[in-house]
Amino acid sequence: MPRRRPGALRAERGTYEDRRPPAWARELPPVDRLSPDAAAAAHWAGPGRADEVADLLGRYRNFLRRSGSPLLLSPSPCPACPGCALDDVAVVRDELGDLYRALPPVARTALGRALRELDSRFRRRTLPDPDPPPAGWADWSGRPRAWWHRRLYEDG
Ligand SMILES: [Zn+2]
């Protein structure tokens, strides 16, 4: 039986195995409240990934840090523009969901844990929309709306 080249063996182990962060990645800046291992994995997941995680989690936390009860969501004044769309916390939560699916396992698990905690606070502090958009309603990009879009917004 011919000996297999190391490269072939490595390829069989799958993509994420190859993307395990090197030790120095643990020295990179912290990412929100993720563990050093999870932060290293986020940094190693691709250029800008860690910043994206930190920025989006920071936006979600800022919303939940507001005073007032209940918290009302604010629609973005400019929803079709990628930067301004994030003025709506529901869009921030969409992006966190997309990011969750794109991250390697260690970072994904840590982000999932953070999201479960933030989501339960979000559920407690916001109200269900008594007149939600119809089921299957999609946003401008065709993405179906998740439950966090069916919370009460200011001005109806
Ligand atoms: Zn804009």
Side-chain angles (χ1 to χ4, degrees):
M1 186 177 163
R3 287 178 55 135
R4 287 193 287 181
R5 285 172 301 110
L9 287 174
R10 201 178 313 125
E12 278 172 18
R13 281 206 301 265
T15 15
Y16 289 127
E17 196 78 9
D18 290 337
R19 283 156 68 182
R20 191 178 9 206
W24 55 260
R26 291 173 57 101
E27 310 300 319
L28 292 169
V31 180
D32 191 74
R33 299 177 193 172
L34 268 50
S35 71
D37 279 339
H43 281 291
W44 201 239
R49 281 291 189 224
D51 289 341
E52 234 179 314
V53 174
D55 175 59
L56 292 168
L57 280 177
R59 287 173 186 268
Y60 200 5
R61 288 189 196 287
N62 281 342
F63 175 79
L64 293 168
R65 210 173 277 139
R66 289 184 196 171
S67 56
S69 181
L71 287 178
L72 298 175
L73 281 71
S74 319
S76 167
C78 181
C81 156
C84 303
L86 295 176
D87 292 344
D88 181 348
V89 71
V91 176
V92 170
R93 184 59 184 80
D94 285 337
E95 298 288 318
L96 281 162
D98 290 350
L99 203 49
Y100 173 84
R101 285 182 286 277
L103 287 174
V106 177
R108 189 193 305 149
T109 303
L111 178 59
R113 199 177 302 126
L115 286 178
R116 275 194 300 280
E117 192 242 315
L118 294 170
D119 284 348
S120 77
R121 278 160 60 193
F122 181 80
R123 277 185 201 275
R124 273 201 309 278
R125 297 207 51 209
T126 60
L127 292 175
D129 185 347
D131 184 22
W137 181 59
D139 67 10
W140 59 272
S141 67
R143 178 163 52 190
R145 296 287 187 158
W147 64 267
W148 47 83
H149 283 276
R150 297 191 298 272
R151 309 303 286 181
L152 197 60
Y153 277 78
E154 61 193 21
D155 307 325

